[in-house]
Amino acid sequence: MNENYAKEFDGIVEKAKASKKPMRVAVAGADAENMLRGIFDAQEAGFVEPLLIGNEQRISALLKKLGLAERSYRLQGIDDSADPVQYAIEMIRAGEADCLMRGNTQTRDFLMPVLNKANHLIREDALVTHVVFLKVPGYERLLAISDVTLLINPPIETRKKVVANMVRALKVFGVEKPNIALLSLVETPSFQMRDSVEDQTMVRQHASRPIADCNLVGPIAYDLIMSKEAARLKGYDCPFCGEFDGIVVPNLISGNLMVKVLQRNAGATGCGILVGAKIPIAICSRADEPEQAFLSLAACAAMWDSGKYFG
Protein backbone atom coordinates (compact mmCIF):
# COMPACT_ATOMS: atom_id res chain seq x y z
CA MET A 1 0.00 0.00 0.00
CA ASN A 2 1.28 3.47 -0.90
CA GLU A 3 1.17 5.74 2.16
CA ASN A 4 2.92 8.71 0.59
CA TYR A 5 -0.19 10.84 0.77
CA ALA A 6 0.14 14.23 2.49
CA LYS A 7 0.32 14.04 6.30
CA GLU A 8 -2.68 16.40 6.51
CA PHE A 9 -4.83 13.42 5.48
CA ASP A 10 -3.56 11.26 8.36
CA GLY A 11 -6.58 12.05 10.53
CA ILE A 12 -9.02 11.00 7.81
CA VAL A 13 -7.12 7.80 7.05
CA GLU A 14 -6.85 6.89 10.72
CA LYS A 15 -10.59 7.41 11.20
CA ALA A 16 -11.18 5.10 8.23
CA LYS A 17 -8.83 2.45 9.60
CA ALA A 18 -10.62 2.62 12.95
CA SER A 19 -13.96 1.69 11.36
CA LYS A 20 -15.80 -1.06 13.19
CA LYS A 21 -15.92 -3.12 10.00
CA PRO A 22 -14.77 -2.74 6.39
CA MET A 23 -17.06 -0.70 4.16
CA ARG A 24 -18.34 -2.67 1.16
CA VAL A 25 -17.71 -0.51 -1.92
CA ALA A 26 -19.62 -0.99 -5.17
CA VAL A 27 -17.49 0.36 -8.01
CA ALA A 28 -19.77 1.27 -10.92
CA GLY A 29 -17.84 0.53 -14.11
CA ALA A 30 -14.80 -1.03 -12.46
CA ASP A 31 -12.64 -1.17 -15.60
CA ALA A 32 -10.80 1.97 -14.47
CA GLU A 33 -7.10 1.53 -13.73
CA ASN A 34 -6.50 4.13 -11.05
CA MET A 35 -9.81 3.42 -9.31
CA LEU A 36 -8.80 -0.23 -9.00
CA ARG A 37 -5.38 0.63 -7.64
CA GLY A 38 -6.96 2.97 -5.12
CA ILE A 39 -9.62 0.57 -3.89
CA PHE A 40 -7.15 -2.28 -3.43
CA ASP A 41 -4.83 0.06 -1.51
CA ALA A 42 -7.83 0.84 0.70
CA GLN A 43 -8.53 -2.88 1.06
CA GLU A 44 -4.93 -3.45 2.14
CA ALA A 45 -5.35 -0.67 4.71
CA GLY A 46 -8.29 -2.65 6.08
CA PHE A 47 -11.26 -0.33 5.64
CA VAL A 48 -12.97 -1.51 2.41
CA GLU A 49 -14.16 -4.65 0.66
CA PRO A 50 -14.28 -4.29 -3.17
CA LEU A 51 -17.38 -5.13 -5.19
CA LEU A 52 -16.47 -4.66 -8.85
CA ILE A 53 -19.36 -4.08 -11.26
CA GLY A 54 -19.14 -3.91 -15.03
CA ASN A 55 -17.91 -5.83 -18.05
CA GLU A 56 -16.38 -8.97 -16.57
CA GLN A 57 -13.91 -9.57 -19.40
CA ARG A 58 -12.49 -6.03 -19.31
CA ILE A 59 -12.30 -5.93 -15.53
CA SER A 60 -10.59 -9.34 -15.30
CA ALA A 61 -8.07 -8.39 -17.99
CA LEU A 62 -7.26 -5.14 -16.21
CA LEU A 63 -6.88 -6.86 -12.85
CA LYS A 64 -4.43 -9.29 -14.42
CA LYS A 65 -2.50 -6.47 -16.08
CA LEU A 66 -2.21 -4.62 -12.76
CA GLY A 67 -1.19 -7.72 -10.81
CA LEU A 68 -4.36 -7.62 -8.73
CA ALA A 69 -6.13 -10.72 -10.00
CA GLU A 70 -5.22 -12.78 -6.94
CA ARG A 71 -6.57 -10.23 -4.47
CA SER A 72 -9.84 -10.77 -2.61
CA TYR A 73 -12.85 -9.15 -4.28
CA ARG A 74 -16.33 -9.83 -5.61
CA LEU A 75 -16.86 -9.36 -9.33
CA GLN A 76 -20.37 -8.79 -10.63
CA GLY A 77 -20.33 -8.98 -14.40
CA ILE A 78 -23.07 -7.21 -16.30
CA ASP A 79 -23.86 -6.74 -19.98
CA ASP A 80 -22.64 -3.55 -21.66
CA SER A 81 -26.27 -2.60 -22.29
CA ALA A 82 -26.91 -2.41 -18.53
CA ASP A 83 -26.25 0.72 -16.47
CA PRO A 84 -23.46 -0.09 -13.97
CA VAL A 85 -24.39 2.83 -11.72
CA GLN A 86 -28.03 1.80 -11.45
CA TYR A 87 -26.96 -1.80 -10.91
CA ALA A 88 -24.62 -0.72 -8.10
CA ILE A 89 -27.35 1.34 -6.46
CA GLU A 90 -29.73 -1.59 -6.54
CA MET A 91 -27.12 -3.79 -4.86
CA ILE A 92 -26.65 -1.16 -2.16
CA ARG A 93 -30.41 -0.90 -1.62
CA ALA A 94 -30.54 -4.71 -1.39
CA GLY A 95 -28.01 -4.58 1.46
CA GLU A 96 -25.11 -6.07 -0.51
CA ALA A 97 -22.89 -2.97 -0.37
CA ASP A 98 -22.51 0.19 1.71
CA CYS A 99 -20.78 2.74 -0.53
CA LEU A 100 -21.01 3.79 -4.17
CA MET A 101 -17.86 4.66 -6.12
CA ARG A 102 -17.54 6.12 -9.57
CA GLY A 103 -15.53 3.99 -11.96
CA ASN A 104 -15.27 4.21 -15.73
CA THR A 105 -18.41 6.29 -16.25
CA GLN A 106 -19.11 9.80 -17.50
CA THR A 107 -19.86 12.32 -14.75
CA ARG A 108 -23.42 12.90 -15.98
CA ASP A 109 -24.09 9.16 -16.29
CA PHE A 110 -22.88 8.64 -12.73
CA LEU A 111 -24.86 11.48 -11.18
CA MET A 112 -28.22 10.99 -12.88
CA PRO A 113 -29.09 7.68 -11.12
CA VAL A 114 -27.80 9.09 -7.82
CA LEU A 115 -30.14 12.10 -8.09
CA ASN A 116 -33.08 10.08 -9.46
CA LYS A 117 -35.80 10.30 -6.79
CA ALA A 118 -36.93 6.78 -7.62
CA ASN A 119 -33.69 5.44 -6.12
CA HIS A 120 -34.42 7.07 -2.74
CA LEU A 121 -30.82 8.04 -2.06
CA ILE A 122 -31.64 11.64 -1.24
CA ARG A 123 -33.89 12.98 1.51
CA GLU A 124 -36.54 15.41 0.30
CA ASP A 125 -35.06 18.28 2.32
CA ALA A 126 -31.43 17.51 1.45
CA LEU A 127 -29.02 18.92 -1.10
CA VAL A 128 -26.25 16.75 -2.50
CA THR A 129 -22.97 18.56 -3.04
CA HIS A 130 -19.51 17.54 -4.19
CA VAL A 131 -16.86 18.47 -1.64
CA VAL A 132 -13.20 18.21 -2.66
CA PHE A 133 -10.50 18.17 0.01
CA LEU A 134 -7.08 19.34 -1.16
CA LYS A 135 -3.60 19.67 0.29
CA VAL A 136 -2.23 22.66 -1.57
CA PRO A 137 1.56 23.08 -1.44
CA GLY A 138 2.45 26.03 0.78
CA TYR A 139 -0.91 26.06 2.56
CA GLU A 140 -0.78 24.78 6.12
CA ARG A 141 -4.09 22.92 6.33
CA LEU A 142 -6.49 20.86 4.27
CA LEU A 143 -8.76 22.97 2.09
CA ALA A 144 -12.33 21.99 1.24
CA ILE A 145 -13.86 23.36 -1.98
CA SER A 146 -17.51 23.05 -3.03
CA ASP A 147 -19.49 22.70 -5.19
CA VAL A 148 -17.37 21.62 -8.14
CA THR A 149 -19.56 19.10 -10.00
CA LEU A 150 -23.31 19.52 -9.59
CA LEU A 151 -24.48 23.11 -9.07
CA ILE A 152 -24.11 25.37 -12.11
CA ASN A 153 -25.24 28.75 -10.75
CA PRO A 154 -26.69 28.08 -7.29
CA PRO A 155 -28.96 30.74 -5.76
CA ILE A 156 -28.35 32.05 -2.28
CA GLU A 157 -30.54 29.53 -0.42
CA THR A 158 -28.81 26.67 -2.19
CA ARG A 159 -25.37 28.07 -1.36
CA LYS A 160 -26.35 28.14 2.31
CA LYS A 161 -26.87 24.38 2.08
CA VAL A 162 -23.47 24.05 0.37
CA VAL A 163 -21.95 25.76 3.43
CA ALA A 164 -23.83 23.45 5.80
CA ASN A 165 -22.72 20.30 3.93
CA MET A 166 -19.10 21.46 3.91
CA VAL A 167 -19.13 22.19 7.65
CA ARG A 168 -20.76 18.83 8.30
CA ALA A 169 -17.95 17.02 6.49
CA LEU A 170 -15.16 19.09 8.05
CA LYS A 171 -16.47 18.37 11.54
CA VAL A 172 -16.31 14.63 10.92
CA PHE A 173 -12.65 15.13 10.01
CA GLY A 174 -11.88 16.93 13.26
CA VAL A 175 -12.32 20.63 12.38
CA GLU A 176 -14.56 21.81 15.21
CA LYS A 177 -15.47 25.32 14.01
CA PRO A 178 -14.33 25.69 10.40
CA ASN A 179 -13.42 29.00 8.80
CA ILE A 180 -15.42 29.18 5.57
CA ALA A 181 -14.79 31.70 2.77
CA LEU A 182 -17.35 32.78 0.18
CA LEU A 183 -15.22 33.22 -2.91
CA SER A 184 -15.72 36.26 -5.12
CA LEU A 185 -13.70 38.47 -7.42
CA VAL A 186 -13.88 41.39 -5.00
CA GLU A 187 -14.15 42.12 -1.29
CA THR A 188 -16.55 45.04 -1.69
CA PRO A 189 -20.03 43.99 -2.85
CA SER A 190 -21.04 45.23 -6.27
CA PHE A 191 -24.55 45.06 -7.73
CA GLN A 192 -22.92 44.15 -11.04
CA MET A 193 -21.71 40.93 -9.39
CA ARG A 194 -24.67 39.07 -7.97
CA ASP A 195 -22.56 36.62 -5.99
CA SER A 196 -20.74 39.39 -4.09
CA VAL A 197 -24.04 40.90 -2.90
CA GLU A 198 -25.38 37.47 -1.96
CA ASP A 199 -22.16 36.72 -0.06
CA GLN A 200 -22.62 39.85 2.03
CA THR A 201 -26.26 38.91 2.65
CA MET A 202 -25.30 35.38 3.73
CA VAL A 203 -22.69 36.67 6.16
CA ARG A 204 -25.12 39.16 7.70
CA GLN A 205 -27.84 36.53 8.04
CA HIS A 206 -25.33 34.05 9.46
CA ALA A 207 -24.43 36.53 12.21
CA SER A 208 -28.01 36.49 13.56
CA ARG A 209 -29.10 33.02 12.49
CA PRO A 210 -26.10 30.72 11.88
CA ILE A 211 -26.18 28.58 8.76
CA ALA A 212 -23.86 26.12 10.49
CA ASP A 213 -21.31 26.11 13.31
CA CYS A 214 -18.60 28.01 11.46
CA ASN A 215 -16.92 31.35 10.91
CA LEU A 216 -18.25 32.71 7.61
CA VAL A 217 -16.49 35.43 5.61
CA GLY A 218 -17.37 36.97 2.26
CA PRO A 219 -17.21 38.22 -0.32
CA ILE A 220 -13.49 37.58 -0.39
CA ALA A 221 -10.96 37.09 -3.19
CA TYR A 222 -8.75 34.02 -3.56
CA ASP A 223 -5.45 35.71 -2.66
CA LEU A 224 -6.87 36.94 0.63
CA ILE A 225 -8.29 33.53 1.43
CA MET A 226 -4.91 31.88 1.02
CA SER A 227 -2.48 34.48 2.41
CA LYS A 228 -2.14 36.58 5.55
CA GLU A 229 0.53 38.59 3.77
CA ALA A 230 -1.82 39.43 0.91
CA ALA A 231 -4.37 40.60 3.48
CA ARG A 232 -1.75 42.77 5.21
CA LEU A 233 -0.61 44.36 1.96
CA LYS A 234 -4.20 45.08 0.90
CA GLY A 235 -5.21 46.31 4.34
CA TYR A 236 -7.90 43.67 4.62
CA ASP A 237 -8.72 43.10 8.29
CA CYS A 238 -9.71 39.46 8.79
CA PRO A 239 -8.14 37.04 11.31
CA PHE A 240 -8.89 33.98 9.16
CA CYS A 241 -6.88 34.91 6.05
CA GLY A 242 -4.39 32.11 5.40
CA GLU A 243 -6.33 29.92 7.85
CA PHE A 244 -9.52 29.10 5.98
CA ASP A 245 -10.71 25.48 6.04
CA GLY A 246 -13.17 25.75 3.16
CA ILE A 247 -14.06 27.76 0.08
CA VAL A 248 -17.63 27.93 -1.21
CA VAL A 249 -17.50 28.95 -4.87
CA PRO A 250 -20.11 31.10 -6.64
CA ASN A 251 -20.62 28.76 -9.61
CA LEU A 252 -19.61 25.46 -11.11
CA ILE A 253 -17.02 26.68 -13.60
CA SER A 254 -15.01 28.60 -11.01
CA GLY A 255 -14.95 25.66 -8.61
CA ASN A 256 -14.15 23.01 -11.19
CA LEU A 257 -11.46 25.14 -12.78
CA MET A 258 -9.89 25.97 -9.40
CA VAL A 259 -9.61 22.33 -8.40
CA LYS A 260 -8.16 21.21 -11.74
CA VAL A 261 -5.59 24.03 -11.82
CA LEU A 262 -4.50 23.33 -8.25
CA GLN A 263 -4.16 19.61 -8.97
CA ARG A 264 -2.58 19.78 -12.42
CA ASN A 265 -0.37 22.84 -12.11
CA ALA A 266 0.19 23.47 -8.40
CA GLY A 267 0.81 19.89 -7.23
CA ALA A 268 -2.25 19.69 -4.96
CA THR A 269 -3.44 16.26 -3.86
CA GLY A 270 -6.82 15.37 -2.48
CA CYS A 271 -10.07 13.49 -2.63
CA GLY A 272 -13.73 14.01 -3.44
CA ILE A 273 -17.00 12.84 -1.89
CA LEU A 274 -20.68 13.58 -2.33
CA VAL A 275 -22.25 14.90 0.87
CA GLY A 276 -25.97 14.91 1.60
CA ALA A 277 -26.97 11.46 0.35
CA LYS A 278 -28.13 8.58 2.53
CA ILE A 279 -25.05 6.59 1.55
CA PRO A 280 -21.35 7.46 1.20
CA ILE A 281 -20.40 8.22 -2.40
CA ALA A 282 -16.80 8.49 -3.61
CA ILE A 283 -16.25 10.49 -6.77
CA CYS A 284 -13.03 11.54 -8.43
CA SER A 285 -11.82 11.93 -11.99
CA ARG A 286 -10.79 8.90 -14.01
CA ALA A 287 -7.58 10.81 -14.73
CA ASP A 288 -6.75 11.22 -11.02
CA GLU A 289 -3.94 9.29 -9.37
CA PRO A 290 -4.73 6.14 -7.33
CA GLU A 291 -4.03 8.21 -4.21
CA GLN A 292 -7.13 10.31 -4.94
CA ALA A 293 -9.33 7.21 -5.09
CA PHE A 294 -7.75 5.82 -1.90
CA LEU A 295 -8.31 9.07 0.01
CA SER A 296 -11.86 9.47 -1.32
CA LEU A 297 -12.67 6.04 0.05
CA ALA A 298 -11.00 6.91 3.35
CA ALA A 299 -13.18 10.02 3.62
CA CYS A 300 -16.29 7.97 2.83
CA ALA A 301 -15.35 5.31 5.38
CA ALA A 302 -14.77 7.93 8.07
CA MET A 303 -18.18 9.52 7.49
CA TRP A 304 -19.92 6.17 7.09
CA ASP A 305 -18.54 4.85 10.38
CA SER A 306 -19.49 8.06 12.17
CA GLY A 307 -23.08 7.83 10.96
CA LYS A 308 -22.97 11.46 9.79
CA TYR A 309 -24.38 10.63 6.37
CA PHE A 310 -27.74 10.16 8.02
CA GLY A 311 -27.62 13.14 10.40
Side-chain angles (χ1 to χ4, degrees), residues 71-133:
R71 299 289 289 272
S72 175
Y73 58 88
R74 178 180 173 188
L75 175 55
Q76 181 65 53
I78 61 173
D79 190 86
D80 282 339
S81 61
D83 180 353
V85 183
Q86 184 62 40
Y87 198 97
I89 289 171
E90 289 172 1
M91 294 194 74
I92 291 170
R93 292 182 61 193
E96 297 186 54
D98 309 299
C99 170
L100 176 65
M101 183 180 190
R102 177 190 177 186
N104 187 16
T105 61
Q106 296 286 343
T107 302
R108 182 183 184 280
D109 294 338
F110 181 78
L111 292 175
M112 290 302 289
V114 170
L115 300 175
N116 187 340
K117 292 182 179 180
N119 284 322
H120 304 288
L121 297 184
I122 316 298
R123 299 191 316 271
E124 287 188 11
D125 60 338
L127 175 73
V128 174
T129 55
H130 184 197
V131 184
V132 172
F133 297 89

Side-chain angles (χ1 to χ4, degrees), residues 3-15:
E3 293 191 351
N4 293 323
Y5 47 78
K7 63 181 177 59
E8 285 79 5
F9 289 98
D10 284 351
I12 295 176
V13 174
E14 290 307 311
K15 282 181 179 290

Side-chain angles (χ1 to χ4, degrees), residues 2-288:
N2 180 7
E3 293 191 351
N4 293 323
Y5 47 78
K7 63 181 177 59
E8 285 79 5
F9 289 98
D10 284 351
I12 295 176
V13 174
E14 290 307 311
K15 282 181 179 290
K17 289 181 176 180
S19 300
K20 299 178 182 67
K21 59 180 180 179
M23 179 178 67
R24 299 168 299 171
V25 180
V27 186
D31 53 320
E33 180 174 330
N34 286 345
M35 306 301 183
L36 286 176
R37 292 186 188 275
I39 195 171
F40 281 107
D41 279 350
Q43 181 195 52
E44 188 176 342
F47 57 84
V48 307
E49 294 178 359
L51 168 57
L52 310 180
I53 299 170
N55 182 287
E56 184 172 357
Q57 185 176 357
R58 288 198 299 270
I59 295 171
S60 296
L62 188 53
L63 289 170
K64 184 176 180 180
K65 174 186 173 182
L66 299 176
L68 298 169
E70 301 305 316
R71 299 289 289 272
S72 175
Y73 58 88
R74 178 180 173 188
L75 175 55
Q76 181 65 53
I78 61 173
D79 190 86
D80 282 339
S81 61
D83 180 353
V85 183
Q86 184 62 40
Y87 198 97
I89 289 171
E90 289 172 1
M91 294 194 74
I92 291 170
R93 292 182 61 193
E96 297 186 54
D98 309 299
C99 170
L100 176 65
M101 183 180 190
R102 177 190 177 186
N104 187 16
T105 61
Q106 296 286 343
T107 302
R108 182 183 184 280
D109 294 338
F110 181 78
L111 292 175
M112 290 302 289
V114 170
L115 300 175
N116 187 340
K117 292 182 179 180
N119 284 322
H120 304 288
L121 297 184
I122 316 298
R123 299 191 316 271
E124 287 188 11
D125 60 338
L127 175 73
V128 174
T129 55
H130 184 197
V131 184
V132 172
F133 297 89
L134 294 179
K135 175 59 185 78
V136 181
Y139 196 70
E140 296 300 317
R141 57 183 69 193
L142 280 184
L143 186 66
I145 304 174
S146 187
D147 179 282
V148 302
T149 299
L150 289 94
L151 306 174
I152 299 174
N153 284 298
I156 185 170
E157 293 302 320
T158 299
R159 294 179 71 218
K160 289 179 183 179
K161 293 183 179 181
V162 175
V163 171
N165 276 0
M166 178 179 284
V167 171
R168 179 183 174 194
L170 284 165
K171 281 182 172 290
V172 172
F173 302 146
V175 185
E176 286 305 316
K177 189 164 185 174
N179 303 325
I180 307 297
L182 301 176
L183 177 70
S184 187
L185 182 66
V186 295
E187 297 81 61
T188 303
S190 167
F191 285 103
Q192 294 175 319
M193 300 178 185
R194 187 199 78 183
D195 64 276
S196 68
V197 177
E198 290 184 349
D199 289 348
Q200 182 186 62
T201 301
M202 288 172 64
V203 170
R204 287 176 174 174
Q205 292 177 347
H206 176 75
S208 58
R209 188 175 182 180
I211 298 167
D213 184 21
C214 67
N215 298 307
L216 190 65
V217 177
I220 182 171
Y222 180 79
D223 55 343
L224 300 178
I225 293 172
M226 302 297 286
S227 170
K228 284 186 179 298
E229 179 64 5
R232 183 188 72 81
L233 292 170
K234 285 187 171 184
Y236 185 78
D237 185 17
C238 174
F240 308 122
C241 292
E243 297 181 4
F244 281 101
D245 301 291
I247 300 175
V248 172
V249 299
N251 51 51
L252 182 61
I253 189 169
S254 59
N256 196 279
L257 181 62
M258 180 192 301
V259 168
K260 288 180 177 177
V261 168
L262 289 172
Q263 288 182 321
R264 293 294 168 189
N265 301 103
T269 59
C271 61
I273 59 175
L274 295 188
V275 180
K278 295 179 181 179
I279 61 169
I281 302 175
I283 179 170
C284 45
S285 171
R286 289 167 291 175
D288 285 342

